Amino acid sequence: MELVASPWRSTFPLPPLSRTPAPCVVRSSLAWTVEAITARVATPLLVTGIAAVATRRRERGITRSACAARAPVQKGQVLPAQLVPESIQAPPYVADPEKVRGWWNAQIVPKSEEEIEAMRAAGKLAHSALDLAEELIRPGLTTEEMDKELHTFICDHGAYPSDLQYKGFPKSVMISINEVICHGIPDTRPLEDGDLVNVDVTLYLGGFHADTARSWMCGQGDETGQRLVSATREALDAAVAVCAAGTPLKAIGTAVATVAEREKFGIVKTLVGHGIGEFFHGVPQIFHCRNSDNRKMQEGTTFTIEPVLTEGSAEWITWDDGWTVATEDAGRAAQFEHTVLITAEGCEVLT
C-alpha cells in the first residue's frame, strides 16, 4: 500500500485531480512530499501518543465520531521481528535500503509471460496467507501471534514477507484494528470481541511481490461495522470490474466513490494503489476517489487496488511510531486489496 503522505515515498508526478463531486484532495508527506503537488497540499498531523491525539483533537474542535463509542486502540509491546531463513530470497532493499527506488518510479512496463507466471504464483500464496489470517482471528489472540503464524506460513512456502525491513518496518505483516487505517504494527494487544481487523499481506516469491488485504469483524460484530466491511469489499469488486486495457485509470476511483457515496462512508483519498512486480511500489498510482487521471490501463501491467472506507471522517493522524495511520475522529476503517493484471478483455485478479 502507499500513502501519499507516509514512509512509502512517492517521487513521480501525479495526475490532475478532478473538480467533480467528492474530489480527491492529496495531502503532503511527513518526510517526502510528492514534488508534483507540493503547492496544493496541507500538512498532516504527526502525533506523539494517545494523550497528544486527544489534545490536538480538542484544539482543532474535532470530536470522536458518534459511531466510535469504543475506547481508542491502545498500543501493546512490539516484540523483535521473526527471523527469515537464509535460504529464502530477500528483496534487494533488505540488503540495500536505497533499492526501494528505481526505474519503476517513472516507467510503466508490461510484464512478460514468464513474469506474469511468477506473479501468479506469488499472488496465489498471498491469497492463501489471508485465508490463514481469517482462521486465526478470534478474541484473545494478539496481533503479535498472528504476525508470527503468518510469517511462518510465508517462509515455509519459500517466500519473504515483503513488509519486513521495507523502509525499516519492524514486522512481517501489517494488522490494523478499528480506527487504524493502515500500517498497523503487530504487538501484544489481544484482539477484542467486536474489533474490526484489517490484515495486509505482501510477500516476495520468485523475484516478484504480491500485495493483498482483507477486513473482518472479530467475534460478534455490530451492524455498522459489518456494513462498512461489506461496502468496502463491494467497492473493491466494483473497481476490479471496470478494469480492462484502454480504460482510463480514473474509472477505478469512480467505481469506489459510487459505492462509498451510496453507503455514506468516507474514502481515504491519500491511500493509493500502486504498480507492483519485481518492485514493491511503483507507477502508476491508483486513486480510489473521483479524479481526472485519463491515462489508459495497459495490457500486461500489474498494480494494486486497495480502497479504504471510513465510518466517519477520512482525515487521518500518524502515531508517534511513524507508521500507524489512524482516523482523526477515531471512527473505524476497513480495507480490501487485490493485485491485478490488466488484460485485453478485462483483468485477472492475481490475489
Side-chain angles (χ1 to χ4, degrees), residues 83-162:
L83 297 178
V84 178
E86 292 183 2
S87 60
I88 291 177
Q89 179 186 6
Y93 55 76
V94 174
D96 181 359
E98 286 301 311
K99 290 186 177 178
V100 297
R101 293 180 289 279
W103 60 264
W104 50 87
N105 295 126
Q107 300 177 50
I108 302 173
V109 179
K111 304 289 190 295
S112 68
E113 283 300 321
E114 182 179 357
E115 291 169 333
I116 289 170
E117 282 303 314
M119 290 204 65
R120 286 188 177 118
K124 182 178 180 180
L125 183 58
H127 179 97
S128 296
L130 283 187
D131 287 345
L132 172 61
E134 182 174 12
E135 295 174 4
L136 293 172
I137 293 173
R138 63 181 182 275
L141 188 75
T142 67
T143 53
E144 164 66 25
E145 291 171 312
M146 289 187 66
D147 179 83
K148 184 176 182 179
E149 291 284 347
L150 292 168
H151 174 95
T152 299
F153 175 87
I154 291 168
C155 292
D156 282 352
H157 288 81
Y160 182 95
S162 303

Side-chain angles (χ1 to χ4, degrees), residues 202-265:
T202 311
L203 56 82
Y204 185 72
L205 179 68
F208 288 84
H209 298 271
D211 191 358
T212 186
R214 298 179 211 162
S215 295
W216 301 271
M217 298 301 298
C218 176
Q220 185 66 39
D222 62 287
E223 181 179 352
T224 300
Q226 297 283 12
R227 190 168 66 85
L228 177 61
V229 169
S230 177
T232 310
R233 183 188 303 111
E234 181 185 352
L236 174 61
D237 291 344
V240 168
V242 302
C243 289
T247 301
L249 287 169
K250 68 180 182 182
I252 292 172
T254 300
V256 172
T258 298
V259 175
E261 291 163 6
R262 184 196 72 209
E263 297 297 326
K264 302 188 186 312
F265 289 131

Side-chain angles (χ1 to χ4, degrees), residues 245-330:
T247 301
L249 287 169
K250 68 180 182 182
I252 292 172
T254 300
V256 172
T258 298
V259 175
E261 291 163 6
R262 184 196 72 209
E263 297 297 326
K264 302 188 186 312
F265 289 131
I267 304 171
V268 181
K269 296 166 184 170
T270 45
L271 175 63
V272 298
H274 51 86
I276 189 170
E278 60 266 50
F279 51 90
F280 194 164
H281 294 95
V283 289
Q285 285 188 323
I286 306 298
F287 286 95
H288 305 107
C289 54
R290 298 187 188 276
N291 64 86
S292 54
D293 188 353
N294 287 310
R295 291 176 298 169
K296 308 298 184 185
M297 300 180 200
Q298 300 178 39
E299 184 176 358
T301 59
T302 52
F303 53 77
T304 69
I305 305 173
E306 44 188 301
V308 174
L309 303 190
T310 61
E311 65 176 337
S313 171
E315 295 299 306
W316 51 270
I317 56 176
T318 303
W319 288 8
D320 59 354
D321 58 28
W323 284 101
T324 308
V325 175
T327 58
E328 199 167 46
D329 67 350

